[in-house]
Amino acid sequence: MSSSPAAATRRDTRSRGAVLGELERTRSRIAALQAEELGLLARADAIAAEQTARVPSSAGREREMPLREMAAEVAAVMRRSDRVIQDRLHDATVLVTGFAATVAALRAGAVDTAHVRIIQDAGAHITDPDARVRFEQAALVVCERETPGRAKPIIAMIAQKLHPVPLADRHAEAAAGRRVWVRDLDDGMAELAAVLPAALAYAIRDRLTQHAREVIAARRAAAPEKPTGSDGATAETGDDTGSASTAPAHPAVERPADNDPGVTDTRTTDQVRADILTDLLLTGHASTPVSSSSIPAGQAITAHVQIVIPAATLTGDGTAPAELIGYGPIDPDTARHLAGTADLWERVFTSPTTGAVQHVDTYRPNRAQRRHLDARDEHCRFPGCRRPVYYCDHDHTLDHARGGPTDVCNLANLCVRHHTLKHASAWNVIQKPHGILEWTSPTGRIHLDIPRRVLEFTALAAAEDPPPF
């Protein structure tokens, strides 16, 4: 009688270190096989192209047959749609011929297919061969050190900086294609979509989110008070911070009656955002009873976006792209316009030799260390985490109780999840120069977390060196 998979798992006595080591080797073998598959698909595409070349150019539709025939046969072998395979044949050829170093890195197990897609997507518009080689070198420096999620915005910025055509010119052309459309869905629904300049799209989402927070805050204020015990303490609290306060989040909002829609509103944040979008577009304001009761008359909600602008770009002396935090590169004209209407400016000074954030100053010089850390880190500094700094704690790398100084060289942003993990598990971290964190896992593996700007600077510096082939 054969044993169950669960029983086989229980008999597996491999240690944690052995499991992790085998995972690394397996991942490397899988990547090598994926690179081999790309080579095979590219060769199949080349065979079809050779057959197509032997068909007279006047044959018309007959010239399509070699590729369609090849795609159908490969699809049958791989059990995929021939239309999908035809696209994959083309993509494989583009990668093998246009991104040879990336395919080689995949074959060596240094990156995975998610990294490859990011490099291909970002570099596809760089047609100049020398610029693409430099881009690919820089992109691989990033991908060999970061997760795909973290690598994507860095690589997008690198592609913009190395692109031979100025971003302002490309943005003007792209902005001409802005549009809104509707796509029908099932069950009486439809999808409303728009292509807009990134700064406007992010500002719209931010404003909707602020409206939604006001609505949800009003809902919580309108909720019936929780029962109290004999000592007057609340029986239960939903405050994530552990606070026992029962004061309404917005005391200026009058508590509605029990039959008010705010009391029974159970919409999620996404649902509230969608409803407010509808209200704003159709009526000019958030007009539903719940929305109206949560926003005092005349209260303006202004969208907030964070832009990083090189000094030369800001003054008009340079054309380097600015960056919309959370999205990536935006054109200089848009950045300068947003800077001209900003209430608060912060100057971020970076090292000319490493790219590391060295100093942050502002016209409001309070909490300078927090501003420095937020500019340097941008997100949680645990390897692979992208939780924005707004939801993170400024953690002492060496505990303050053990003599760790409250200084930027001993502080880093950690989200609640990874702040807890650092203090409650065998994960350890030390801070290196330029804000680099060296994490040590419970099995002794070293994982470097490099600040985004240091990594981007290092990658661009690598792009300036001649390729090693």
Side-chain angles (χ1 to χ4, degrees), residues 273-298:
R273 266 196 295 248
D275 293 344
I276 290 173
L277 173 65
T278 303
D279 291 337
L280 290 174
L281 291 178
L282 295 181
T283 70
H285 58 89
S287 60
T288 64
V290 175
S291 301
S292 297
S293 67
S294 69
I295 303 175

Side-chain angles (χ1 to χ4, degrees), residues 414-469:
L414 293 180
C415 68
V416 174
R417 175 183 178 87
H418 294 122
H419 194 169
T420 303
L421 183 69
K422 172 180 175 284
H423 290 286
S425 74
W427 278 91
N428 292 308
V429 61
I430 60 175
Q431 193 158 161
K432 300 281 192 177
H434 314 309
I436 296 173
L437 299 188
E438 182 180 283
W439 289 87
T440 304
S441 75
T443 56
R445 284 170 168 76
I446 303 297
H447 302 271
L448 290 181
D449 190 82
I450 304 174
R452 178 270 175 78
R453 299 191 185 283
V454 176
L455 183 55
E456 181 180 312
F457 184 93
T458 303
L460 286 168
E464 298 301 326
D465 297 332
F469 49 83

Side-chain angles (χ1 to χ4, degrees), residues 20-42:
L20 293 174
E22 190 59 34
L23 279 173
E24 287 181 332
R25 290 187 290 273
T26 300
R27 175 184 174 277
S28 182
R29 291 197 299 270
I30 290 173
L33 289 171
Q34 288 170 329
E36 183 177 346
E37 182 181 72
L38 281 175
L40 293 170
L41 292 174

Side-chain angles (χ1 to χ4, degrees), residues 122 125-126 156-176 197-199 307-310 313 318-324 327-336:
H125 302 294
I126 302 178
M157 181 60 72
I158 289 172
Q160 298 295 351
K161 290 181 176 179
L162 295 179
H163 200 295
V165 180
L167 176 58
D169 296 346
R170 287 179 281 125
H171 175 73
E173 182 179 350
I307 308 292
V308 178
I309 312 173
T313 299
T319 59
E323 179 183 3
L324 174 63
Y327 166 74
I330 61 173
D331 66 288
D333 287 340
T334 298
R336 283 190 286 266

